[in-house]
Amino acid sequence: MIEIVLIVGLILFVSLYWNWEKIQRLQWQRKYQDQTLSASDKQVLLKYMPIYRKMTDADRALLEKHIVWFLGEKRVLGRDGLIVSRPMTLIIAADACLLVLKQAWPLYPNVKEILLYPSSYYAPQTSRDGAGLVSFHQTVRQGESWPGGTLVLSWHDVLEGNRLPEDGHNLVFHEFAHQLDQQTGATNGTPALPVGMSYQDWGRVLSKAYQHLKMQLSYNMPHAIHSYGATNEAEFFAVVTETFIEKPHELKQENPELYNLLKDYYQFEPRDWQRH
């Protein structure tokens, strides 16, 4: 009798384990299906998020559902005396959810909280010189993405990223792209790819584009991708994500292969959101 109970328990455990994400998604659907953004919430997005204004009705509705879920599952905490308001969390959630517009819940499963500073902040950093001597100092930063599930953002730079929607700079896009990268357990510029996409093709196209950017900088050539992308492969993915969304026409013209790969990964067409 005890053996039968143990076998049944093991079967139930295995079934719950393999179907946990599906079960959790059904729970979320019941929890959030009747929740919507208020009229004032939408006015905030219309005012501060130009991309939101230009989206199709279908994409806008999908983004709004993601925002509702995000705000219900993630925490935004103020630092250095900053009091976090509803409009502030809305803007951060909207930018973050745009990257995963066509993905199913859970969005950013590793993210637990966002720490929000009023503006640029100091962060400790260690460095090692050629002789192996380690030094400790403070650096000024606008944002960080930690593998443990915490993001740090400067509110001033969040606003600036939305104020100029076609300059190729958006702090939230950048740091949440790092989170997508880190979901694989490594920070190397290769996120978990959708079914049907080739990791071999991804590595080939991204590596070639990364090396091309470094060559452009070496010869002082014009480039659509910001120079910070040449720091390393992880930063290249985050920077090229900003470029893909905010300067899609320039990126498509400069590197159509890279553009099409990113379009396959993100599963949306950002050029549609820049038509006037």
Side-chain angles (χ1 to χ4, degrees):
M1 182 66 180
I2 294 177
E3 291 180 352
I4 294 175
V5 172
L6 290 174
I7 292 171
V8 171
L10 180 61
I11 293 172
L12 288 173
F13 174 80
V14 171
S15 178
L16 284 172
Y17 177 82
W18 286 109
N19 293 283
W20 175 244
E21 193 170 284
K22 186 184 296 183
I23 293 169
Q24 196 174 35
R25 192 172 294 121
L26 289 172
Q27 291 176 330
W28 284 329
Q29 287 173 348
R30 283 194 289 267
K31 179 179 179 180
Y32 295 112
Q33 65 182 352
D34 295 327
Q35 296 187 34
T36 59
L37 296 182
S38 67
S40 60
D41 288 339
K42 295 177 184 180
Q43 284 300 313
V44 168
L45 297 179
L46 287 169
K47 181 177 180 180
Y48 292 103
M49 189 181 181
I51 289 177
Y52 177 82
R53 295 197 295 265
K54 299 175 182 178
M55 297 177 83
T56 65
D57 291 342
D59 282 347
R60 195 180 296 118
L62 183 55
L63 181 65
E64 290 168 2
K65 292 299 292 184
H66 281 350
I67 293 169
V68 167
W69 182 92
F70 189 96
L71 293 179
E73 300 296 319
K74 316 295 183 183
R75 296 180 299 171
V76 182
L77 307 175
R79 287 291 183 267
D80 280 0
L82 181 66
I83 298 175
V84 177
S85 65
R86 172 75 174 184
M88 296 162 77
T89 62
L90 279 168
I91 293 167
I92 292 169
D95 282 347
C97 290
L98 185 68
L99 298 191
V100 289
L101 182 67
K102 297 303 175 71
Q103 292 188 24
W105 302 343
L107 311 172
Y108 303 108
N110 298 331
V111 175
K112 302 177 182 66
E113 61 186 12
I114 297 98
L115 306 182
L116 193 61
Y117 283 82
S119 59
S120 300
Y121 57 94
Y122 288 100
Q125 181 171 317
T126 60
S127 60
R128 186 186 301 270
D129 63 18
L133 181 65
V134 177
S135 61
F136 301 89
H137 53 276
Q138 298 283 331
T139 59
V140 178
R141 297 183 181 174
Q142 288 79 45
E144 298 173 75
S145 175
W146 302 346
T150 297
L151 284 96
V152 189
L153 302 172
S154 153
W155 173 240
H156 169 78
D157 291 282
V158 170
L159 282 179
E160 282 296 290
N162 286 280
R163 186 177 69 85
L164 301 170
E166 298 179 7
D167 68 344
H169 299 287
N170 184 294
L171 179 65
V172 179
F173 294 163
H174 185 101
E175 299 303 338
F176 274 89
H178 280 315
Q179 278 294 322
L180 294 175
D181 187 5
Q182 292 162 352
Q183 284 179 12
T184 61
T187 309
N188 56 12
T190 302
L193 300 180
V195 175
M197 287 194 70
S198 164
Y199 283 94
Q200 183 176 358
D201 289 344
W202 179 275
R204 176 183 58 80
V205 174
L206 266 289
S207 178
K208 185 169 68 172
Y210 172 60
Q211 295 300 329
H212 184 66
L213 175 61
K214 294 203 291 185
M215 182 272 292
Q216 289 173 313
L217 295 174
S218 297
Y219 290 95
N220 199 27
M221 298 169 61
H223 47 90
I225 303 168
H226 191 271
S227 58
Y228 189 64
T231 304
N232 55 49
E233 289 85 350
E235 294 299 345
F236 181 77
F237 171 63
V239 169
V240 83
T241 291
E242 298 175 84
T243 311
F244 171 70
I245 296 174
E246 294 209 337
K247 299 171 69 176
H249 298 285
E250 293 93 327
L251 184 61
K252 174 74 172 178
Q253 182 176 10
E254 180 174 293
N255 193 330
E257 186 178 34
L258 174 62
Y259 184 87
N260 290 332
L261 189 78
L262 291 168
K263 188 171 71 170
D264 289 343
Y265 171 69
Y266 284 111
Q267 301 175 54
F268 55 70
E269 174 54 271
R271 291 180 296 173
D272 292 342
W273 304 332
Q274 290 196 349
R275 293 174 181 167
H276 299 282

